[in-house]
Every structure is written in C-alpha cells, then in structure tokens.
Amino acid sequence: MINISLLKRGEKFCGFSIRGHAGYADKGEDIICAAVSILSHTLYRSLLHSLSFEEKEVIASQEDGTMDMWIDGPLDDRTELLFSFFLEGIQSLVDEYGDYVMYEIKEEHHA
C-alpha cells in the first residue's frame, strides 16, 4: 500500500511524505504507483517552474518506494492552490483504489 502524509505548517500545506508500493500490478505496470508518481512530480515541478521557487527552497528526496518533499520558503495562496490540485488527485485515487493508497494530513515535523 502507498501511504501519503500531507504536511501542514499552520494552516498551509508545505510538503508530503510518500512511502510504499501499491502492489496493484507488477513493477513498471502499476497504474497506482504511476499516478502517485506523476502527481507528486508535477507538484514539485510546478513549484519550481510555475511559482519560480529555487531548488534550495523546495527540498526533495526520492528512493525506491519513497519520496519526500517540503517547502523551506514562503507559503501563500499559490502554493495552497497547487497542493489542493495534488490532494484532489490523491483523493480520486483513494476513492477508486482505496485498498492500494491512503493519505493523512499531519503537522510538519522535521529537523
């Protein structure tokens, strides 16, 4: 199962943590993993290219079965809008494939 933690700083979304594999299909053929991957990468790229964040302001790391990203910069209505699109996509996956993906909203905690 893919577990997604959406991170908030106060009232604004500031990042996410993604763990696991959906197990819906074989590696390379899993539409759930592909969907989560494209949603998360689109959010990251949109922060950099559409909102012109610098790479040092959007901290991201990825390994097999994990991806973490958080904004170490200002949060505003534009960042909130991008996160709302991300959350809408994740919610659509949960609605359709809830046995393979879930999410929670948490307060940001990292050093």
Side-chain angles (χ1 to χ4, degrees):
M1 173 171 281
I2 298 175
N3 295 293
I4 302 165
S5 296
L6 284 154
L7 307 175
K8 288 190 111 172
R9 184 181 314 138
E11 295 297 313
K12 304 273 189 201
F13 286 106
C14 62
F16 61 76
S17 177
I18 300 171
R19 299 283 181 273
H21 292 284
Y24 182 79
D26 292 336
K27 186 175 182 177
E29 298 178 11
D30 196 316
I31 62 171
I32 311 304
C33 286
V36 171
S37 180
I38 198 66
L39 286 168
S40 59
H41 284 88
T42 299
L43 174 58
Y44 174 73
R45 291 180 56 84
S46 295
L47 289 166
L48 293 177
H49 301 289
S50 297
L51 299 188
S52 301
F53 274 87
E54 295 182 30
E55 286 192 33
K56 66 181 181 183
E57 295 177 300
V58 182
I59 312 303
S61 64
Q62 183 175 359
E63 296 179 24
D64 185 42
T66 69
M67 183 174 181
D68 296 301
M69 188 211 71
W70 73 92
I71 299 172
D72 189 22
L75 304 173
D76 59 23
D77 290 342
R78 299 172 316 143
T79 59
E80 198 68 8
L81 181 62
L82 290 179
F83 274 97
S84 72
F85 288 136
F86 176 74
L87 180 55
E88 192 64 37
I90 296 301
Q91 184 62 58
S92 293
L93 288 172
V94 169
D95 291 348
E96 193 69 28
Y97 301 101
D99 291 340
Y100 302 96
V101 61
M102 63 171 285
Y103 76 90
E104 63 182 344
I105 297 173
K106 299 169 57 170
E107 188 65 24
E108 172 188 44
H109 296 288
H110 62 86

